[in-house]
Amino acid sequence: MASQPSTRSSSSSASTASTATSTATQYLVHFVHRHLDFRKCDFDSSLIAQNLSPSSIYAASNFDMLRPFLICTFPDDETATKVAKSTVLIKHIYKVNSVGETTEDCVAKSKPFTSSPTESWKIVFDTFASKFTKSEQSKIMHQFIDLHKPSGPVKMKDPTTTMSIIHEYPVKISGAPMYPRFDHSGSPIPSNVDRPPLSVYFCSNFAAGGRDLVEKYTLKKRTYLGPTSMDNELSLIMCNAALTRPQSYVLDPFVGTGSILFSASVLGGICVGTDIDTRVLKGKGEGGVMRNFLDCNLPLPEIIRGDNSLHSRLFRSREVYDSIITDPPYGIRAGARKSGTTEDRRKPIPDEHRHDHIPQTQVYPVGDVMADLLTVAARGLKVGGRLVYLIPSLKDFEEGDLPTHECLELEWVCYQPLGLLLGRRMVVMKKVKGWVEEKEEEWKEKCWPNGKESADKVEKLREQMAEAAKKERAEGEKQGWGGKLHKTKKQRKKEMRNEVELKKFTD
Ligand SMILES: C[S@@+](CC[C@H](N)C(=O)[O-])C[C@H]1O[C@@H](n2cnc3c(N)ncnc32)[C@H](O)[C@@H]1O
């Protein structure tokens, strides 16, 4: 299997620390604690876009999906800065001064962090999955200051050197802290040996990630939105996974309100979009798909009212796109329709409407939507180009259920949970083989290796979700908590409070 699921094994702090002791400059990558299963794909895609092989930058065994810190080596500062800027899920890249398993270890290994009496400096304190009181922070900071006695002035605003002390604590598989640091009343639980950090880092602030784009182009600031508009962070992640860069040709065959092409355009892509529904393309007086591009002075995409099942009739061009990035219609938020009618008698088109006639549409089964999408990708992408799409799924959906095409190789499958049972996957495929027109039907027939059953899992998602909720309620009633989700959450909170109380008692 070519997909690269994120490593879930816990790489020990020792292995991370040992990487930091080699002589090359070490950088510490700090990911945001979101979209955990997408972080590796996002980082690796940025590395590949800079012509770097991920294995030359970090040891895959050191990557842990549950840890937001990763020690890397970049060829130089400029490359590290460029990579940081082009990612979506990196907050910051630091230059490592020392890494330890405890504060004392980190202090002992640290080196002087200023080099002249004129160099201004400050130290900031950061923690992951824990909190430190002001006095605890100050004590730790002074251990570094007392050891190195920097002679330059302290400057809180724009100092020459900003150092960060970061304490990283483990989290549970849910992403919640393993050891709550404060009880429900907000009082700190005294530290004890049962709460060891995973790593303590002492590093200088170096390069910011590309998070500014997430905030700058948030959906909240857009004039034209619809129920299908995709959040800006995820569409930027998709565009990065598709290796979108300035002058890339990007197609979204299910463009809707244009949110994916908007992000592609922000990254410099030249965009083309099609959608079967003129109402969503034109909007209701807000200016339609083009509005947000105009508002933000972005190059306007080519938008065509078109049916994806007839893509080859709409476009003669072959192997022209660098990427196809899309959120296909699965009938959950937006129904899939295709041209044609199931009625026996077609209505004649009056002459006066020939110029603006829109053909009748009929239901477009999910199995066909996906088979057509992969065909469009195999035909439209350049060899080496990428198809990135989202597919909603319940827990029983497996990677073997994904549609396949002989010209496309699976690169990544990243899972985003959207509840206890429902989630969606971002699938990245790379075109590895040239398009052969005569093979279209033969390839299409092999689209679902597990048969129609896999397509049904997506097609019947709505019914399955209702079924799953019913089952959950019944199970809950059996166990006596009423089966409602908010009750289980309440229960969990109560359990957590008890856990904290128990810890207080045992400390
Ligand atoms: C999930 S939405 C895409 C949302 C889009 N990413 C956005 O930002 O709004 C799917 C879109 O596919 C369109 N669609 C449905 N059937 C289609 C077809 N046969 N060809 C092209 N577009 C189709 C729908 O009109 C809808 O706008």
Side-chain angles (χ1 to χ4, degrees), residues 311-312 317-319 375-381 431 435 437 440:
H311 184 89
S312 60
S317 45
R318 307 276 185 267
E319 311 203 307
T375 303
V376 167
R379 178 195 283 123
L381 286 173
K431 177 150 169 196
W435 172 251
E437 198 78 46
E440 173 170 355

Side-chain angles (χ1 to χ4, degrees), residues 228 253-257 259 275-277 306-308 327 329 335 337 364:
T228 60
F254 304 105
V255 71
T257 58
S259 51
D275 200 288
I276 199 164
D277 193 343
D307 175 356
N308 188 56
D327 178 16
R337 309 284 301 172
Y364 191 8

Side-chain angles (χ1 to χ4, degrees), residues 48 63 135 214 320 391 457 507:
I48 292 166
F63 188 91
S135 73
V214 177
V320 286
I391 185 162
K457 284 190 184 171
D507 275 344

Side-chain angles (χ1 to χ4, degrees), residues 160-172:
T160 318
T161 300
T162 301
M163 298 300 295
S164 289
I165 303 168
I166 304 167
H167 279 68
E168 182 196 2
Y169 281 83
V171 288
K172 298 178 195 165

